[in-house]
Amino acid sequence: MSAKSITSSIPITQPIRIPFDRTSKRYKVAALLAYLGLFTVLAPDAIRYSISWWGWSAVVISLTIWTVIALAVKNPAKTLARIPLPLAFLMLLMLLSVIWSQYQAITLVTLGLQITASLFALFLANQFSWRQLLHILSNTIRFLLSSSLLIEIYAALAGPIAPLFPNYSGSEPPHASYLWVQGNLFELERIQGIMGNANLLAFTSVLGALLFLIELIVTDRSKWLPGLSLALALSMALLAQSAGMTVAVGLISFAAIVAILSEGRPRPTRHRIYRIALLALGIATLFGVVFRDWVFDLLGRSPDATGRFEIWEKVLGLIWEKPIEGWGWTGYWIPGTEPFEGLISINGVPMYQAHNAYLDIWMQLGVLGLGLLVWLMIAVFVRLWAVAVRHTSPLYLYPLFGFLVIAAQSLTESRLLIEAGWVLLVLLATKSREPFAELEPLGRTPKRLKLLRLPLRILGR
């Protein structure tokens, strides 16, 4: 995949391809489904806390039926053909694990949820261009963060908010983490937002900040909305106080600099930049390992990564019992299911994930599942990197940034395997396989020059 082959296939005068007009009825119906689906996967606890698990199940079933219909009427074969091999094999392995699963009924149910999330991701890839996805994702996260700020202000003034349908017995929660919103805003403690989870809020805030930044750069409309949204996202990310997302921001900033410096360079120069970048990344990683106590203290976390070392040790114990085939697919650790029930408890709060996507997939699907997930992550990164580096529009940086957010999250959370993490992974894996000729046309100005002119554009000069 050479730069020459890309530029030669996309004339500068080629018009931008728009799948359908935003004002059309078809677009409005598809966009409505996209907004509802993204809200459901980005803030699932908000639905479960407000209308119960049964209500959430009804929402998921309804959206799944709608997704299947919407996908079926718009050339699904082309999108299905773009599913990368490691993703197809991984889904097949999830299905086959029903045979040896230690909890077969749970595997069947969670496999259905995995297929549902995958279909929704394929629908997004099928229906929308990269620019339209930026618009839809940005609007969804803008709503979530605005709602989170409002509910946090209310909880800070009126007191903590308990779920309408709590997942505990009795009138009082056994721990503050069982509350929907703890009301910590004015105390500058960790906030949970409408998601009901500080880590999810931090993930959504960082993802939103990156989307709003690209929106600010590429939009020809007024800059005030993406500018205010960027300020809100950064504020919410700081208030959510996630060490993992702090590391993610550093990683993405580093990747952005490398990608921008590499654009338009001759191959030997690009490779020299990559070698220097890998060396710098290796030194930083080695420093973090050697001085991890100091790094964790700087990030405001305990030396055991807030109990994660204990969690990983116990998960590794399960892995060594069935390292080849795994225990069977589950995605979510369902309460009451052996061997997860009572396996891990931190400060009296039971944990229902491995807090590392790679350990979790290894435990569930064995060494083959681990290998397939690593293959998938590498393949998606390589494809997104090629697009980000070789296209002149800053628009194509956000898919790479979004991938790096879920990749960073996967080191300390298992949410890559479920809900928003899985939807984004499948979306990026499939959408990135579209031919370069279907992207917007290349411009004559490199991204780095466009970014240098950004302050003047914001000032309206």
Side-chain angles (χ1 to χ4, degrees):
M1 186 192 307
S2 67
K4 181 179 179 181
S5 66
I6 297 169
T7 54
S8 63
S9 63
I10 311 175
I12 297 299
T13 56
Q14 176 185 344
I16 296 175
R17 292 184 175 89
I18 301 177
F20 42 81
D21 187 2
R22 278 186 192 170
T23 60
S24 70
K25 182 179 179 181
R26 174 175 287 185
Y27 177 85
K28 290 179 178 178
V29 171
L32 177 60
L33 172 55
Y35 285 128
L36 293 174
L38 286 170
F39 181 91
T40 301
V41 297
L42 284 166
D45 285 339
I47 299 174
R48 295 191 279 256
Y49 288 165
S50 56
I51 62 174
S52 78
W53 274 88
W54 290 108
W56 172 83
S57 300
V59 169
V60 170
I61 292 170
S62 301
L63 291 177
T64 301
I65 295 171
W66 190 356
T67 298
V68 170
I69 295 171
L71 185 59
V73 298
K74 194 170 185 295
N75 193 13
K78 184 170 68 172
T79 303
L80 293 172
R82 289 173 179 164
I83 296 174
L85 280 177
L87 175 57
F89 289 153
L90 189 56
M91 292 293 294
L92 178 60
L93 185 60
M94 291 176 189
L95 174 61
L96 292 175
S97 74
V98 174
I99 299 171
W100 62 83
S101 173
Q102 305 301 300
Y103 29 77
Q104 290 182 323
I106 296 297
T107 297
L108 286 170
V109 171
T110 53
L111 179 62
L113 291 172
Q114 207 70 9
I115 292 171
T116 292
S118 302
L119 287 173
F120 178 64
L122 294 176
F123 156 78
L124 293 175
N126 174 270
Q127 299 280 327
F128 304 105
S129 67
W130 284 115
R131 187 174 291 270
Q132 289 168 332
L133 284 169
L134 173 65
H135 177 74
I136 289 170
L137 285 164
S138 296
N139 283 344
T140 304
I141 294 179
R142 214 178 335 261
F143 174 78
L144 286 170
L145 296 182
S146 301
S147 302
S148 293
L149 179 60
L150 292 175
I151 199 171
E152 285 289 347
I153 292 173
Y154 176 82
L157 295 172
I161 302 174
L164 299 178
F165 292 86
N167 56 352
Y168 55 86
S169 57
S171 58
E172 294 294 326
H175 190 273
S177 61
Y178 285 86
L179 291 167
W180 188 345
V181 183
Q182 297 175 25
N184 295 332
L185 180 62
F186 297 154
E187 299 172 9
L188 298 182
E189 297 290 335
R190 297 190 77 186
I191 65 172
Q192 297 76 43
I194 197 172
M195 295 82 167
N197 183 294
N199 289 329
L200 272 181
L201 176 60
F203 166 79
T204 306
S205 299
V206 170
L207 180 61
L210 297 169
L211 295 174
F212 301 145
L213 177 61
I214 299 301
E215 192 180 37
L216 182 68
I217 294 169
V218 303
T219 185
D220 291 327
R221 301 178 182 179
S222 173
K223 304 286 187 182
W224 72 267
L225 181 59
L228 286 177
S229 301
L230 177 59
L232 173 63
L234 292 174
S235 300
M236 299 300 278
L238 288 173
L239 290 167
Q241 300 177 27
S242 169
M245 287 299 100
T246 301
V247 174
V249 170
L251 178 64
I252 292 162
S253 301
F254 178 76
I257 293 170
V258 175
I260 291 168
L261 288 176
S262 302
E263 183 199 353
R265 308 288 189 186
R267 181 174 181 147
T269 304
R270 282 203 318 273
H271 285 195
R272 187 160 55 250
I273 293 172
Y274 295 162
R275 286 193 295 270
I276 294 171
L278 287 172
L279 178 62
L281 188 61
I283 292 172
T285 302
L286 180 62
F287 179 89
V289 171
V290 173
F291 299 100
R292 59 183 177 275
D293 289 354
W294 180 82
V295 172
F296 282 129
D297 185 60
L298 183 66
L299 294 172
R301 293 293 178 265
S302 59
D304 68 343
T306 321
R308 281 174 172 78
F309 290 174
E310 178 185 346
I311 296 171
W312 296 340
E313 183 180 358
K314 292 188 176 181
V315 171
L316 281 168
L318 291 179
I319 288 172
W320 299 135
E321 289 186 39
K322 299 179 184 294
I324 305 301
E325 76 280 18
W327 289 76
W329 173 253
T330 178
Y332 306 77
W333 290 12
I334 306 299
T337 303
E338 293 295 337
F340 311 120
E341 186 60 34
L343 178 68
I344 304 166
S345 179
I346 304 294
N347 298 323
V349 179
M351 298 287 115
Y352 291 107
Q353 58 159 312
H355 282 278
N356 181 288
Y358 306 97
L359 291 179
D360 222 331
I361 199 88
W362 189 3
M363 184 270 294
Q364 295 180 39
L365 296 179
V367 69
L368 180 56
L370 173 63
L372 289 172
L373 180 61
V374 171
W375 178 14
L376 176 61
M377 296 294 283
I378 293 173
V380 176
F381 173 77
V382 169
R383 188 74 183 182
L384 291 174
W385 183 269
V387 175
V389 169
R390 296 174 182 178
H391 203 288
T392 57
S393 173
L395 172 70
Y396 295 103
L397 287 171
Y398 92 82
L400 174 64
F401 292 169
F403 173 80
L404 291 175
V405 173
I406 61 174
Q409 185 196 41
S410 71
L411 300 176
T412 57
E413 299 280 330
S414 297
R415 292 185 178 275
L416 176 70
L417 306 178
I418 60 171
E419 296 173 334
W422 184 257
V423 166
L424 290 172
L425 178 58
V426 174
L427 168 62
L428 294 171
T430 307
K431 191 74 177 172
S432 64
R433 288 173 58 82
E434 290 181 349
F436 279 91
E438 293 186 12
L439 303 180
E440 294 183 8
L442 291 167
R444 299 182 185 275
T445 308
K447 286 191 287 291
R448 54 185 173 274
L449 295 182
K450 293 177 183 177
L451 295 174
L452 288 173
R453 296 171 185 169
L454 179 62
L456 296 178
R457 290 185 60 198
I458 293 175
L459 294 173
R461 296 179 182 177

